[in-house]
Amino acid sequence: MAGGFIEKGSSEKNYPGKLTFRVFITCVTAAFGGLIFGYDLGISGGVTSMDPFLKKFFPDVYAKEHNIKPTDNQYCKFDSQVLTLFTSSLYLAALVASIFASKVTRAFGRRLTMISGGVLFLAGAALNGFAQQVWMLIVGRMLLGFGIGCANQSVPIYVSEVAPYKYRGALNMLFQLAITIGIFVANILNYLFAKMENGEGWRYSLGLAGVPAIMIIIGAMFLPDSPNSLIERGQAEKAKEELIKIRGTDDVDEEFKDLVAASEASKQVKHPWSSLLKSEYRPHLTMAIAIPFFQQLTGMNVITFYAPVLFKTIGFGGTASLMSAMITGGCNALATLVSIFTVDKVGRRKLFLEGGAQMFICQLVIAAAIGSKFGTDGNPGVLPKWFALTVVVFICIYVAGFAWSWGPLGWLVPSEIFPLEVRSAAQSVNVSVNMIFTFAIAQVFTAMLCHMKFGLFIFFAFFVIVMSIFIYKFLPETKGVPIEEISLVWENHPYWNKFVKSSAQKNKIAAPDSQV
């Protein structure tokens, strides 16, 4: 059975080197790119639950919420396509940016892409903070999206290339940790700024997105280029010097030789986008599409985008809904630490599967709780404190399950499984699919909540089962495998080896007349 493959047959190479302070600081600085993504994820849902913001830009939603324009179903009071466009337009822009960013990343290196992302994000934060009309909000969100597309395309690749293979999982997850910290900080600021008496707190929430943007701009300016990127751009000597620095040893000949060989193979691929369609890249393309697709269908972004709106819809007051979102944001950040300390010990597959089981159980419990109390009209009457506490607790357990599985692994695994010759293109596919479905979920969530009601959680629970089966059958374990040798896990996988030629086969094809 395909799911039986774990790690046997992985690379026997053991490159010298250690986790140097230079590598750690470099990866931490690069992970600032996650802050801009996380801050935006956390800030948008809180802002859309603030009455002054709704009254100024979305008066119809404000009227329904305050019964000025009564609605017969509580589930539907936030159902506004213009309101959801405020959130979702960012991810459509990020989709476009990620495609162009792949060309910049390959031609000019990962650092320039990060800096470009920070500048675009800073411009979007400024426009949103000073917005007077809805169009200013939407354009500002699109600029934020261009910035996020650049950062999400370049940061995971950069960290995977710089990190020693033994610590690649943990260091790559600093990106996800930065995302969760950004979400948590945004939740705290929303809670504090919502109390401002002048009703302008939303401006501060949106405008302060410029802070993580400045951090990634300044940080990226001081980052070294990755050895892979330097070799790819014809700077082999400089690449070897940098490899010695980041590994903390002069004994880097074997790793450097493999990097050069990977680069030479990369240069043979003139059109990486079309190359992705070849059968030998079938597993890479499948994972680049399936993992981000499933990541969005866990339902986590519903909690992240709209936690305050969701809590408000199911009976929490305005301040209480922001407080509840802040609690879940804190759980998200703390649980990500679990993944950082375990991913290179227990492996990727076990975390994926455990997190899936945890999310599935919680989604069923939440659906049952909301269904029994709110029914189909969304009017629960007086909401007992024990019920509210139960919902928050199970949402926190659900968030924790995501935060040590599909959250960080959704970025880690795609960034480490692509060979150099198609790495930038494949990562763009990964980010593009992620943004397409992030956009779709963000755009249709309030309509889905209106029509599916508590069944929305059952919808996501179904997909958690599907994605867990997919991981079990088709994803090989990549723990402890050097990124240059990652092709071996596909060559030895009982399903994917049908598509990926083994190294021996490739050599035989390369020299067909060497033997009779």
Side-chain angles (χ1 to χ4, degrees):
M1 171 168 72
F5 178 78
I6 302 294
E7 197 175 359
K8 299 298 182 185
S10 61
S11 172
E12 296 179 358
K13 294 193 177 183
N14 185 15
Y15 298 138
K18 55 188 177 182
L19 178 57
T20 61
F21 182 73
R22 182 182 179 87
V23 165
F24 180 74
I25 292 299
T26 295
C27 291
V28 168
T29 304
F32 286 160
L35 282 177
I36 64 176
F37 190 25
Y39 187 88
D40 183 80
L41 286 171
I43 214 71
S44 54
V47 165
T48 53
S49 72
M50 294 181 186
D51 286 343
F53 178 81
L54 292 174
K55 192 173 182 179
K56 181 175 179 64
F57 295 107
F58 306 99
D60 287 345
V61 175
Y62 177 83
K64 284 193 291 185
E65 185 186 358
H66 291 273
N67 294 320
I68 299 171
K69 185 189 290 184
T71 177
D72 59 356
N73 197 306
Q74 289 295 101
Y75 289 112
C76 298
K77 61 186 179 182
F78 285 97
D79 186 14
S80 165
Q81 290 303 297
V82 180
L83 176 63
T84 52
L85 184 62
F86 163 71
T87 298
S88 62
S89 57
L90 179 150
Y91 304 101
L92 202 58
L95 160 65
V96 175
S98 66
I99 296 173
F100 289 100
S102 73
K103 298 182 181 296
V104 177
T105 299
R106 188 169 190 183
F108 302 104
R110 289 49 165 152
R111 291 172 60 250
L112 182 61
T113 312
M114 293 182 213
I115 294 171
S116 302
V119 171
L120 290 165
F121 198 86
L122 182 60
L127 190 57
N128 273 350
F130 291 104
Q132 296 295 333
Q133 303 292 333
V134 172
W135 71 265
M136 294 178 72
L137 289 178
I138 302 300
V139 173
R141 295 286 294 172
M142 293 180 71
L143 287 171
L144 294 173
F146 291 142
I148 285 175
C150 290
N152 287 4
Q153 204 280 338
S154 55
V155 172
I157 287 179
Y158 179 85
V159 175
S160 286
E161 290 178 344
V162 170
Y165 71 92
K166 294 178 181 178
Y167 306 101
R168 188 176 65 239
L171 290 173
N172 204 300
M173 283 185 176
L174 291 175
F175 179 71
Q176 176 66 20
L177 179 62
I179 291 176
T180 62
I181 291 172
I183 293 170
F184 183 49
V185 170
N187 293 151
I188 293 174
L189 293 179
N190 278 335
Y191 179 73
L192 295 175
F193 291 143
K195 296 182 177 183
M196 292 181 66
E197 294 182 3
N198 64 3
E200 296 286 289
W202 60 270
R203 291 193 185 277
Y204 293 93
S205 289
L206 295 175
L208 282 175
V211 174
I214 292 172
M215 291 172 68
I216 184 62
I217 292 169
I218 295 175
M221 287 180 177
F222 293 96
L223 289 179
D225 276 307
S226 72
N228 304 67
S229 179
L230 290 169
I231 293 171
E232 198 173 23
R233 287 146 53 206
Q235 302 178 48
E237 288 302 317
K238 188 175 179 181
K240 188 168 185 178
E241 291 173 7
E242 185 57 40
L243 188 61
I244 290 171
K245 291 178 183 178
I246 63 176
R247 296 294 178 254
T249 178
D250 292 331
D251 187 12
V252 296
D253 290 344
E254 184 177 16
E255 183 175 4
F256 180 72
K257 183 177 69 174
D258 287 341
L259 289 176
V260 171
S263 179
E264 290 301 318
S266 171
K267 290 175 182 177
Q268 302 305 312
V269 179
K270 302 300 182 183
H271 305 286
W273 288 92
S274 58
S275 295
L276 275 173
L277 300 177
K278 295 180 179 179
S279 62
E280 62 191 280
Y281 298 118
R282 186 73 51 81
H284 311 86
L285 183 60
T286 300
M287 295 300 164
I289 294 173
I291 290 178
F293 168 74
F294 285 136
Q295 187 189 49
Q296 299 315 306
L297 288 173
T298 59
M300 178 60 187
N301 273 350
V302 169
I303 301 297
T304 305
F305 293 150
Y306 298 111
V309 170
L310 181 62
F311 285 124
K312 214 170 183 181
T313 298
I314 62 175
F316 290 64
T319 303
S321 67
L322 290 171
M323 173 63 81
S324 300
M326 187 166 64
I327 292 171
T328 57
C331 290
N332 192 11
L334 290 174
T336 303
L337 292 172
V338 175
S339 190
I340 289 174
F341 290 113
T342 59
V343 66
D344 288 318
K345 296 178 180 177
V346 305
R348 284 66 161 151
R349 282 167 50 91
K350 288 182 181 178
L351 286 177
F352 264 130
L353 297 174
E354 190 283 332
Q358 188 168 323
M359 287 189 291
F360 175 74
I361 293 170
C362 289
Q363 283 166 328
L364 293 184
V365 172
I366 294 167
I370 294 177
S372 64
K373 192 65 181 176
F374 291 81
T376 56
D377 62 3
N379 294 301
V382 179
L383 191 67
K385 287 186 177 180
W386 65 265
F387 176 87
L389 181 62
T390 300
V391 171
V392 171
V393 166
F394 273 95
I395 285 181
C396 282
I397 297 172
Y398 161 82
V399 166
F402 176 88
W404 60 54
S405 63
W406 279 90
L409 295 175
W411 294 106
L412 166 63
V413 172
S415 74
E416 68 181 3
I417 63 173
F418 304 138
L420 183 62
E421 62 266 24
V422 295
R423 190 170 296 161
S424 293
Q427 181 68 2
S428 287
V429 172
N430 177 56
V431 174
S432 297
V433 173
N434 190 298
M435 293 303 139
I436 287 171
F437 286 96
T438 302
F439 166 79
I441 293 295
Q443 186 64 30
V444 305
F445 162 69
T446 54
M448 291 174 71
L449 181 61
C450 177
H451 292 92
M452 299 178 70
K453 304 172 177 58
F454 61 88
L456 181 62
F457 291 95
I458 298 175
F459 171 83
F460 288 125
F462 167 76
F463 277 100
V464 169
I465 287 291
V466 174
M467 65 184 71
S468 296
I469 293 172
F470 173 83
I471 291 296
Y472 179 75
K473 289 186 67 66
F474 298 113
L475 182 70
E477 182 57 71
T478 53
K479 176 189 74 173
V481 182
I483 196 168
E484 295 78 23
E485 300 294 315
I486 209 75
S487 62
L488 292 176
V489 301
W490 305 112
E491 293 170 8
N492 290 281
H493 190 276
Y495 178 78
W496 293 119
N497 66 4
K498 302 172 187 176
F499 303 96
V500 181
K501 300 171 184 175
S502 69
S503 299
Q505 288 176 307
K506 290 178 183 177
N507 292 336
K508 187 175 180 180
I509 292 172
D513 298 324
S514 60
Q515 291 181 352
V516 177

